[in-house]
Amino acid sequence: MSDATYDVIVAGLGGMGGSAAYHLAARGQRVLGLERFGPAHDRGASHGGSRITRQSYFEDPAYVPLLLHAYELWERLERDSGRDLMTLTGGLLMGAPDSLTVSGSRRSAEQWGLAHEMLDATEIRRRFPVFRPAPGDVALYEAKAGLLRPEAAVEANLALAAGHGAQLRFHEPVESWTADDGGVTVRTAAGTYTAGALVVCPGAWAPQLLADLGVPLVVERQVQFWFEPVGGIEPFRPEVQPIFIWEGPPGTQVYGFPALDGPGGGIKVSFFRRGEVTTPETIDRSIRAEEIEFVAAHLATRVPAAAGRFLRGKTCMYTNTPDEHFVIGRHPRHERVTVACGFSGHGFKFVPVVGEILADLALDGTTAHPVTLFDPTRVRARGRD
């Protein structure tokens, strides 16, 4: 294959990379996208049929302005692609009043003036009878919370990127890259490509492709579970059942979704950050009996009707930073390279705004969006390297 010169190469075409390719191509850039698997694959983190979206962000109020803009961009992506990507079901953020899930969500909602309601255990049971909160549990209810369709979103971004002229190459993983004052060079088994800039969105492959970034990244195996509700799906339809994140002692968070695809689809649940350290090459993609039993037992005490017949499971990977905040910015050693990684299990809802930010950084070196929290140099600055 002969060498080719592009304006920007995007390495990784999952949620973030696909969005970056679209935003760059829409700005008239000559874009090459490289992906190690096929489009909207199930080997990384952008799959599983659903992802939670919410605005009352317990992780840090600094995320809220990005979320508000992300909601606008999700609606625009739906219009431009003609696809159903976001469903607002409402959301319950539950636990003890001083739990991070509740107190952090309330802090963000109050700081940014987000519409919300605070519910005690009695009101939770009255309005959402599938839940069995403990007497001291409370919930923040947010009407604008809901779910996203990850595979459809990735496909939408890739189709729009290609429609704007981006060249997208699948089953062609990046083996190495170099950068200097003259540009970047990217090597794959199929060829060598040059460009003025590089955007690296490697997901769980970040420890290999961004080894010199200076950020310690840990890849974690996660499992998504689907169960057939006891008594049928009627109480779990998206029209009546909100998404939920429920924190219990000692800080364990379980989250879940309504039944999206009829009786055969089941309801999806998972634990947040109860995974095991892994790598993309060594991850165990089997679903173990003890894992199914553990999540079913947990559900039986909180959402009893959800703990029905196990239907299926699917693994995915989180790529975690030490502080669990994202890494988005110019590479500290290579000004022509922009990176996006370490989304720590809560990044997908930001896909369209991250794509916009990456396009800004790749072309202008700066962005109007608030991204200081995600600076790649912050870890070393805090003495954690």
Side-chain angles (χ1 to χ4, degrees):
M1 182 180 297
S2 62
D3 292 354
T5 300
Y6 300 87
D7 295 322
V8 187
I9 296 173
V10 179
L13 294 174
M16 305 304 177
S19 180
Y22 166 39
H23 281 277
L24 286 161
R27 298 185 192 186
Q29 300 298 297
R30 294 172 299 165
V31 175
L32 171 65
L34 298 169
E35 168 58 49
R36 68 178 53 243
F37 300 112
H41 62 83
D42 64 355
R43 314 307 287 174
S46 299
H47 64 278
S50 56
R51 288 289 184 274
I52 285 176
T53 188
R54 52 193 164 89
Q55 295 181 355
S56 301
Y57 219 61
F58 59 77
E59 288 83 350
D60 195 302
Y63 286 87
V64 174
L66 295 176
L67 284 163
L68 297 177
H69 188 52
Y71 269 59
E72 297 173 357
L73 294 180
W74 279 117
E75 294 174 355
R76 185 187 306 172
L77 185 59
E78 285 187 314
R79 292 193 303 269
D80 292 346
S81 67
R83 293 172 179 259
D84 180 12
L85 305 178
M86 181 168 67
T87 302
L88 300 185
T89 62
L92 287 172
L93 293 310
M94 294 190 285
D98 61 349
S99 65
L100 174 63
T101 302
V102 174
S103 64
S105 299
R106 187 170 189 172
R107 179 165 66 112
S108 283
E110 292 176 348
Q111 180 172 326
W112 291 99
L114 304 176
H116 68 285
E117 302 174 66
M118 297 303 303
L119 311 180
D120 62 16
T122 300
E123 188 66 3
I124 295 169
R125 288 192 295 268
R126 186 188 72 80
R127 289 177 56 175
F128 306 103
V130 300
F131 295 108
R132 295 292 182 270
D137 281 345
V138 299
L140 181 146
Y141 177 75
E142 178 188 309
K144 288 191 174 181
L147 60 93
L148 303 163
R149 298 279 197 169
E151 290 91 344
V154 173
E155 291 169 354
N157 276 315
L158 295 178
L160 290 167
H164 283 281
Q167 294 186 29
L168 308 179
R169 300 180 186 272
F170 299 98
H171 305 287
E172 189 171 343
V174 171
E175 295 181 343
S176 65
W177 59 267
T178 57
D180 57 31
D181 292 343
V184 300
T185 301
V186 175
R187 293 176 177 83
T188 73
T192 300
Y193 308 98
T194 60
L198 172 64
V199 175
V200 186
C201 303
W205 288 262
Q208 295 97 305
L209 281 182
L210 295 172
D212 66 343
L213 185 61
V215 179
L217 298 166
V218 177
V219 178
E220 180 180 319
R221 172 185 176 271
Q222 286 288 328
V223 183
Q224 306 165 78
F225 304 87
W226 284 261
F227 290 89
E228 179 182 17
V230 177
I233 67 166
E234 185 64 21
F236 292 93
R237 291 181 296 108
E239 296 80 8
V240 296
Q241 167 68 25
I243 60 93
F244 67 91
I245 302 175
W246 196 337
E247 182 175 338
T252 298
Q253 290 173 308
V254 65
Y255 63 92
F257 300 81
L260 300 180
D261 301 310
I267 55 175
K268 175 182 159 184
V269 296
S270 186
F271 284 105
F272 194 49
R273 297 203 183 94
R274 281 188 58 90
E276 59 193 32
V277 175
T278 188
T279 71
E281 294 74 30
T282 62
I283 183 173
D284 179 5
R285 295 193 181 273
S286 65
I287 310 300
R288 305 163 195 158
E290 61 270 23
E291 294 174 318
I292 301 168
E293 293 168 2
F294 184 85
V295 71
H298 192 85
L299 287 173
T301 64
R302 292 164 173 81
V303 199
R309 182 171 64 93
F310 174 70
L311 297 175
R312 63 191 182 279
K314 195 77 173 178
T315 58
C316 68
M317 290 180 283
Y318 289 0
T319 306
N320 299 319
T321 62
D323 60 9
E324 297 174 355
H325 296 310
F326 310 156
V327 175
I328 305 172
R330 282 286 183 90
H331 194 297
R333 300 183 182 180
H334 308 285
E335 67 175 14
R336 291 181 177 269
V337 180
T338 302
V339 302
C341 62
F343 288 94
S344 303
H346 62 108
F348 195 86
K349 61 185 73 65
F350 296 89
V351 156
V353 70
V354 169
E356 189 172 85
I357 290 167
L358 293 175
D360 292 344
L361 294 173
L363 300 182
D364 305 323
T366 187
T367 179
H369 293 293
V371 295
T372 303
L373 183 62
F374 314 131
D375 188 333
T377 66
R378 72 182 187 274
V379 177
R380 286 180 292 174
R382 295 172 186 172
R384 294 208 246 183
D385 60 341

